[in-house]
Amino acid sequence: MYFAALLARTEDGWEASDTELDDVETLSDLADLAREASPDEDTVLVLIEQEGGWFGVVRVDGEEDPRVYVSDAAAAARSSYGEILLTDELLGRAPGDDGADLDTLDLDGTEDGEPDDEDADDGAPSAGSAEAVPHGPVGDPRILDDLGVTEKELRSLTEDAVNEIADALGASEVLETVR
């Protein structure tokens, strides 16, 4: 089960709204959605979690590029919402580099030899998908430092991360209104 919410910091405190991510295809789309939630270019946080799996935080400050933190990139890579956050830049890859070398791909099945054990189909992701994605956190672990959630605290969050972040921000009551 997924949950996604926008938290916009205003003069009066945090305002929350739940958000539907079905029409969001890229991080840029998500950043635009966040900017729409705050016409005064205040800080907006997009909090996304898959229950028991991973969570992500996207921070948009005005027109600046969004900052992203994902708690477990490999788990998020198996999610359509996670794929939005896991950009090539975040994963340290060149744009369009899916990890597969075209010279090594078996495109027509005519190559000689048996597959190596590591190449055997064992249910693992194919070349170019999640195998190039690291297990564990990626992104900016200091994304919430100035808001009261340190890198160490962010990295230690697990099951109830979105609620714990909202609580640390003083926004747990407004988040509950959209949960």
Side-chain angles (χ1 to χ4, degrees):
M1 178 169 182
Y2 292 95
F3 174 72
L6 295 172
L7 287 178
R9 187 166 65 174
T10 67
E11 292 177 4
D12 301 324
W14 291 97
E15 292 181 6
S17 58
D18 62 346
T19 186
E20 189 62 46
L21 299 179
D22 290 343
D23 295 331
V24 175
E25 295 180 8
T26 66
L27 182 59
S28 180
D29 293 344
L30 187 58
D32 290 344
L33 183 68
R35 287 184 185 103
E36 290 172 12
S38 178
D40 295 331
E41 296 189 7
D42 293 317
T43 297
V44 178
L45 301 176
V46 181
L47 304 174
I48 302 171
E49 71 179 354
Q50 179 184 7
E51 191 173 301
W54 64 275
F55 71 92
V57 178
V58 178
R59 179 177 178 159
V60 178
D61 293 301
E63 290 301 317
E64 292 181 25
D65 288 340
R67 295 166 52 198
V68 178
Y69 175 83
V70 176
S71 66
D72 185 340
R78 295 186 297 269
S79 156
S80 59
Y81 295 148
E83 288 179 347
I84 293 168
L85 307 180
L86 298 174
T87 63
D88 288 334
E89 181 180 346
L90 188 70
L91 296 173
R93 300 188 298 212
D97 178 11
D98 63 2
D101 181 357
L102 291 178
D103 294 333
T104 63
L105 292 178
D106 179 5
L107 299 176
D108 62 3
T110 60
E111 284 74 12
D112 295 321
E114 294 296 316
D116 294 337
D117 288 342
E118 62 190 53
D119 293 335
D121 185 13
D122 59 1
S126 62
S129 63
E131 77 179 25
V133 177
H135 289 274
V138 295
D140 182 356
R142 302 186 73 191
I143 192 170
L144 300 173
D145 273 2
D146 65 322
L147 299 175
V149 181
T150 66
E151 175 180 349
K152 182 179 179 182
E153 291 168 328
L154 188 63
R155 289 182 183 269
S156 69
L157 298 176
T158 55
E159 291 294 315
D160 201 22
V162 167
N163 284 333
E164 291 180 40
I165 289 169
D167 189 44
L169 300 174
S172 57
E173 287 183 21
V174 295
L175 182 66
E176 280 304 311
T177 64
V178 298
R179 205 175 244 289

PDB file of all heavy atoms in Angstrom, residues 103-126:
ATOM      1  N   ASP A 103      26.929  -4.175 -26.692  1.00  0.00           N
ATOM      2  CA  ASP A 103      27.798  -5.189 -27.286  1.00  0.00           C
ATOM      3  C   ASP A 103      27.673  -6.532 -26.578  1.00  0.00           C
ATOM      4  O   ASP A 103      28.005  -7.568 -27.157  1.00  0.00           O
ATOM      5  CB  ASP A 103      29.263  -4.741 -27.268  1.00  0.00           C
ATOM      6  CG  ASP A 103      29.494  -3.540 -28.179  1.00  0.00           C
ATOM      7  OD1 ASP A 103      28.726  -3.383 -29.160  1.00  0.00           O
ATOM      8  OD2 ASP A 103      30.429  -2.769 -27.900  1.00  0.00           O
ATOM      9  N   THR A 104      27.217  -6.547 -25.342  1.00  0.00           N
ATOM     10  CA  THR A 104      27.143  -7.802 -24.593  1.00  0.00           C
ATOM     11  C   THR A 104      25.743  -8.385 -24.559  1.00  0.00           C
ATOM     12  O   THR A 104      25.554  -9.478 -24.034  1.00  0.00           O
ATOM     13  CB  THR A 104      27.617  -7.595 -23.135  1.00  0.00           C
ATOM     14  OG1 THR A 104      26.735  -6.681 -22.493  1.00  0.00           O
ATOM     15  CG2 THR A 104      29.039  -7.089 -23.085  1.00  0.00           C
ATOM     16  N   LEU A 105      24.764  -7.694 -25.107  1.00  0.00           N
ATOM     17  CA  LEU A 105      23.399  -8.199 -25.081  1.00  0.00           C
ATOM     18  C   LEU A 105      23.186  -9.279 -26.131  1.00  0.00           C
ATOM     19  O   LEU A 105      23.678  -9.188 -27.256  1.00  0.00           O
ATOM     20  CB  LEU A 105      22.401  -7.066 -25.311  1.00  0.00           C
ATOM     21  CG  LEU A 105      22.288  -6.033 -24.206  1.00  0.00           C
ATOM     22  CD1 LEU A 105      21.292  -4.955 -24.608  1.00  0.00           C
ATOM     23  CD2 LEU A 105      21.872  -6.673 -22.898  1.00  0.00           C
ATOM     24  N   ASP A 106      22.451 -10.300 -25.773  1.00  0.00           N
ATOM     25  CA  ASP A 106      22.082 -11.378 -26.680  1.00  0.00           C
ATOM     26  C   ASP A 106      20.765 -10.995 -27.340  1.00  0.00           C
ATOM     27  O   ASP A 106      19.693 -11.308 -26.834  1.00  0.00           O
ATOM     28  CB  ASP A 106      21.951 -12.678 -25.891  1.00  0.00           C
ATOM     29  CG  ASP A 106      21.553 -13.844 -26.763  1.00  0.00           C
ATOM     30  OD1 ASP A 106      21.465 -13.684 -27.991  1.00  0.00           O
ATOM     31  OD2 ASP A 106      21.320 -14.939 -26.195  1.00  0.00           O
ATOM     32  N   LEU A 107      20.859 -10.286 -28.459  1.00  0.00           N
ATOM     33  CA  LEU A 107      19.659  -9.764 -29.088  1.00  0.00           C
ATOM     34  C   LEU A 107      18.963 -10.756 -30.001  1.00  0.00           C
ATOM     35  O   LEU A 107      17.765 -10.700 -30.187  1.00  0.00           O
ATOM     36  CB  LEU A 107      19.976  -8.481 -29.856  1.00  0.00           C
ATOM     37  CG  LEU A 107      20.521  -7.336 -28.998  1.00  0.00           C
ATOM     38  CD1 LEU A 107      20.895  -6.162 -29.877  1.00  0.00           C
ATOM     39  CD2 LEU A 107      19.512  -6.920 -27.950  1.00  0.00           C
ATOM     40  N   ASP A 108      19.757 -11.690 -30.593  1.00  0.00           N
ATOM     41  CA  ASP A 108      19.117 -12.616 -31.519  1.00  0.00           C
ATOM     42  C   ASP A 108      19.267 -14.077 -31.093  1.00  0.00           C
ATOM     43  O   ASP A 108      18.810 -14.971 -31.798  1.00  0.00           O
ATOM     44  CB  ASP A 108      19.661 -12.427 -32.931  1.00  0.00           C
ATOM     45  CG  ASP A 108      21.145 -12.713 -33.028  1.00  0.00           C
ATOM     46  OD1 ASP A 108      21.754 -13.116 -32.015  1.00  0.00           O
ATOM     47  OD2 ASP A 108      21.694 -12.534 -34.120  1.00  0.00           O
ATOM     48  N   GLY A 109      19.937 -14.330 -29.989  1.00  0.00           N
ATOM     49  CA  GLY A 109      20.054 -15.684 -29.470  1.00  0.00           C
ATOM     50  C   GLY A 109      21.034 -16.565 -30.199  1.00  0.00           C
ATOM     51  O   GLY A 109      21.013 -17.783 -30.023  1.00  0.00           O
ATOM     52  N   THR A 110      21.897 -16.022 -31.030  1.00  0.00           N
ATOM     53  CA  THR A 110      22.820 -16.851 -31.801  1.00  0.00           C
ATOM     54  C   THR A 110      24.209 -16.955 -31.195  1.00  0.00           C
ATOM     55  O   THR A 110      25.073 -17.600 -31.769  1.00  0.00           O
ATOM     56  CB  THR A 110      22.967 -16.307 -33.233  1.00  0.00           C
ATOM     57  OG1 THR A 110      23.483 -14.974 -33.155  1.00  0.00           O
ATOM     58  CG2 THR A 110      21.639 -16.315 -33.968  1.00  0.00           C
ATOM     59  N   GLU A 111      24.438 -16.365 -30.024  1.00  0.00           N
ATOM     60  CA  GLU A 111      25.759 -16.423 -29.413  1.00  0.00           C
ATOM     61  C   GLU A 111      26.048 -17.828 -28.921  1.00  0.00           C
ATOM     62  O   GLU A 111      25.149 -18.583 -28.553  1.00  0.00           O
ATOM     63  CB  GLU A 111      25.865 -15.425 -28.235  1.00  0.00           C
ATOM     64  CG  GLU A 111      26.033 -13.988 -28.662  1.00  0.00           C
ATOM     65  CD  GLU A 111      24.757 -13.365 -29.212  1.00  0.00           C
ATOM     66  OE1 GLU A 111      23.680 -13.962 -29.070  1.00  0.00           O
ATOM     67  OE2 GLU A 111      24.852 -12.289 -29.809  1.00  0.00           O
ATOM     68  N   ASP A 112      27.319 -18.230 -28.949  1.00  0.00           N
ATOM     69  CA  ASP A 112      27.736 -19.562 -28.520  1.00  0.00           C
ATOM     70  C   ASP A 112      27.855 -19.631 -27.009  1.00  0.00           C
ATOM     71  O   ASP A 112      28.053 -18.630 -26.345  1.00  0.00           O
ATOM     72  CB  ASP A 112      29.098 -19.919 -29.131  1.00  0.00           C
ATOM     73  CG  ASP A 112      29.021 -20.041 -30.629  1.00  0.00           C
ATOM     74  OD1 ASP A 112      28.007 -20.567 -31.123  1.00  0.00           O
ATOM     75  OD2 ASP A 112      29.969 -19.622 -31.300  1.00  0.00           O
ATOM     76  N   GLY A 113      27.786 -20.841 -26.501  1.00  0.00           N
ATOM     77  CA  GLY A 113      28.076 -21.062 -25.090  1.00  0.00           C
ATOM     78  C   GLY A 113      26.842 -21.045 -24.213  1.00  0.00           C
ATOM     79  O   GLY A 113      25.768 -20.614 -24.601  1.00  0.00           O
ATOM     80  N   GLU A 114      27.052 -21.583 -23.012  1.00  0.00           N
ATOM     81  CA  GLU A 114      25.993 -21.613 -22.013  1.00  0.00           C
ATOM     82  C   GLU A 114      26.053 -20.342 -21.177  1.00  0.00           C
ATOM     83  O   GLU A 114      27.133 -19.782 -20.976  1.00  0.00           O
ATOM     84  CB  GLU A 114      26.168 -22.831 -21.103  1.00  0.00           C
ATOM     85  CG  GLU A 114      25.985 -24.151 -21.811  1.00  0.00           C
ATOM     86  CD  GLU A 114      24.569 -24.322 -22.332  1.00  0.00           C
ATOM     87  OE1 GLU A 114      23.618 -24.008 -21.589  1.00  0.00           O
ATOM     88  OE2 GLU A 114      24.416 -24.740 -23.484  1.00  0.00           O
ATOM     89  N   PRO A 115      24.940 -19.903 -20.651  1.00  0.00           N
ATOM     90  CA  PRO A 115      24.974 -18.710 -19.802  1.00  0.00           C
ATOM     91  C   PRO A 115      25.744 -18.996 -18.515  1.00  0.00           C
ATOM     92  O   PRO A 115      25.712 -20.105 -17.996  1.00  0.00           O
ATOM     93  CB  PRO A 115      23.506 -18.415 -19.508  1.00  0.00           C
ATOM     94  CG  PRO A 115      22.766 -19.673 -19.807  1.00  0.00           C
ATOM     95  CD  PRO A 115      23.592 -20.438 -20.795  1.00  0.00           C
ATOM     96  N   ASP A 116      26.462 -17.983 -18.046  1.00  0.00           N
ATOM     97  CA  ASP A 116      27.139 -18.093 -16.760  1.00  0.00           C
ATOM     98  C   ASP A 116      26.082 -18.198 -15.678  1.00  0.00           C
ATOM     99  O   ASP A 116      24.940 -17.790 -15.856  1.00  0.00           O
ATOM    100  CB  ASP A 116      28.003 -16.852 -16.480  1.00  0.00           C
ATOM    101  CG  ASP A 116      29.156 -16.735 -17.464  1.00  0.00           C
ATOM    102  OD1 ASP A 116      29.550 -17.771 -18.041  1.00  0.00           O
ATOM    103  OD2 ASP A 116      29.647 -15.598 -17.649  1.00  0.00           O
ATOM    104  N   ASP A 117      26.486 -18.726 -14.508  1.00  0.00           N
ATOM    105  CA  ASP A 117      25.544 -18.846 -13.394  1.00  0.00           C
ATOM    106  C   ASP A 117      24.910 -17.512 -13.053  1.00  0.00           C
ATOM    107  O   ASP A 117      23.732 -17.431 -12.755  1.00  0.00           O
ATOM    108  CB  ASP A 117      26.238 -19.411 -12.148  1.00  0.00           C
ATOM    109  CG  ASP A 117      26.542 -20.893 -12.323  1.00  0.00           C
ATOM    110  OD1 ASP A 117      25.931 -21.525 -13.203  1.00  0.00           O
ATOM    111  OD2 ASP A 117      27.399 -21.398 -11.563  1.00  0.00           O
ATOM    112  N   GLU A 118      25.708 -16.434 -13.093  1.00  0.00           N
ATOM    113  CA  GLU A 118      25.159 -15.129 -12.741  1.00  0.00           C
ATOM    114  C   GLU A 118      24.227 -14.593 -13.803  1.00  0.00           C
ATOM    115  O   GLU A 118      23.411 -13.736 -13.550  1.00  0.00           O
ATOM    116  CB  GLU A 118      26.273 -14.117 -12.467  1.00  0.00           C
ATOM    117  CG  GLU A 118      27.153 -13.861 -13.681  1.00  0.00           C
ATOM    118  CD  GLU A 118      28.387 -13.053 -13.340  1.00  0.00           C
ATOM    119  OE1 GLU A 118      29.112 -13.436 -12.422  1.00  0.00           O
ATOM    120  OE2 GLU A 118      28.599 -12.037 -14.009  1.00  0.00           O
ATOM    121  N   ASP A 119      24.328 -15.134 -15.044  1.00  0.00           N
ATOM    122  CA  ASP A 119      23.450 -14.706 -16.121  1.00  0.00           C
ATOM    123  C   ASP A 119      22.189 -15.559 -16.196  1.00  0.00           C
ATOM    124  O   ASP A 119      21.268 -15.239 -16.924  1.00  0.00           O
ATOM    125  CB  ASP A 119      24.153 -14.771 -17.472  1.00  0.00           C
ATOM    126  CG  ASP A 119      25.284 -13.776 -17.589  1.00  0.00           C
ATOM    127  OD1 ASP A 119      25.250 -12.754 -16.875  1.00  0.00           O
ATOM    128  OD2 ASP A 119      26.187 -14.028 -18.392  1.00  0.00           O
ATOM    129  N   ALA A 120      22.158 -16.673 -15.469  1.00  0.00           N
ATOM    130  CA  ALA A 120      21.017 -17.568 -15.535  1.00  0.00           C
ATOM    131  C   ALA A 120      19.771 -16.859 -15.021  1.00  0.00           C
ATOM    132  O   ALA A 120      19.835 -16.010 -14.158  1.00  0.00           O
ATOM    133  CB  ALA A 120      21.286 -18.823 -14.707  1.00  0.00           C
ATOM    134  N   ASP A 121      18.625 -17.273 -15.567  1.00  0.00           N
ATOM    135  CA  ASP A 121      17.372 -16.661 -15.139  1.00  0.00           C
ATOM    136  C   ASP A 121      16.973 -17.217 -13.785  1.00  0.00           C
ATOM    137  O   ASP A 121      16.455 -18.313 -13.675  1.00  0.00           O
ATOM    138  CB  ASP A 121      16.280 -16.928 -16.190  1.00  0.00           C
ATOM    139  CG  ASP A 121      14.986 -16.221 -15.850  1.00  0.00           C
ATOM    140  OD1 ASP A 121      15.000 -15.339 -14.966  1.00  0.00           O
ATOM    141  OD2 ASP A 121      13.962 -16.549 -16.481  1.00  0.00           O
ATOM    142  N   ASP A 122      17.213 -16.453 -12.756  1.00  0.00           N
ATOM    143  CA  ASP A 122      16.881 -16.879 -11.400  1.00  0.00           C
ATOM    144  C   ASP A 122      15.830 -15.958 -10.793  1.00  0.00           C
ATOM    145  O   ASP A 122      15.693 -15.878  -9.578  1.00  0.00           O
ATOM    146  CB  ASP A 122      18.135 -16.908 -10.516  1.00  0.00           C
ATOM    147  CG  ASP A 122      18.816 -15.558 -10.434  1.00  0.00           C
ATOM    148  OD1 ASP A 122      18.313 -14.587 -11.050  1.00  0.00           O
ATOM    149  OD2 ASP A 122      19.853 -15.464  -9.742  1.00  0.00           O
ATOM    150  N   GLY A 123      15.105 -15.248 -11.637  1.00  0.00           N
ATOM    151  CA  GLY A 123      14.102 -14.331 -11.144  1.00  0.00           C
ATOM    152  C   GLY A 123      14.673 -12.959 -10.817  1.00  0.00           C
ATOM    153  O   GLY A 123      13.969 -12.069 -10.406  1.00  0.00           O
ATOM    154  N   ALA A 124      15.971 -12.809 -10.995  1.00  0.00           N
ATOM    155  CA  ALA A 124      16.600 -11.518 -10.713  1.00  0.00           C
ATOM    156  C   ALA A 124      16.274 -10.554 -11.842  1.00  0.00           C
ATOM    157  O   ALA A 124      15.967 -10.966 -12.956  1.00  0.00           O
ATOM    158  CB  ALA A 124      18.112 -11.688 -10.591  1.00  0.00           C
ATOM    159  N   PRO A 125      16.360  -9.263 -11.561  1.00  0.00           N
ATOM    160  CA  PRO A 125      16.086  -8.280 -12.607  1.00  0.00           C
ATOM    161  C   PRO A 125      17.030  -8.454 -13.783  1.00  0.00           C
ATOM    162  O   PRO A 125      18.175  -8.849 -13.612  1.00  0.00           O
ATOM    163  CB  PRO A 125      16.328  -6.934 -11.922  1.00  0.00           C
ATOM    164  CG  PRO A 125      16.305  -7.223 -10.461  1.00  0.00           C
ATOM    165  CD  PRO A 125      16.696  -8.650 -10.308  1.00  0.00           C
ATOM    166  N   SER A 126      16.556  -8.152 -14.967  1.00  0.00           N
ATOM    167  CA  SER A 126      17.398  -8.265 -16.148  1.00  0.00           C
ATOM    168  C   SER A 126      18.359  -7.087 -16.215  1.00  0.00           C
ATOM    169  O   SER A 126      18.206  -6.102 -15.526  1.00  0.00           O
ATOM    170  CB  SER A 126      16.518  -8.292 -17.400  1.00  0.00           C
ATOM    171  OG  SER A 126      15.801  -7.085 -17.490  1.00  0.00           O
TER     172      SER A 126
END
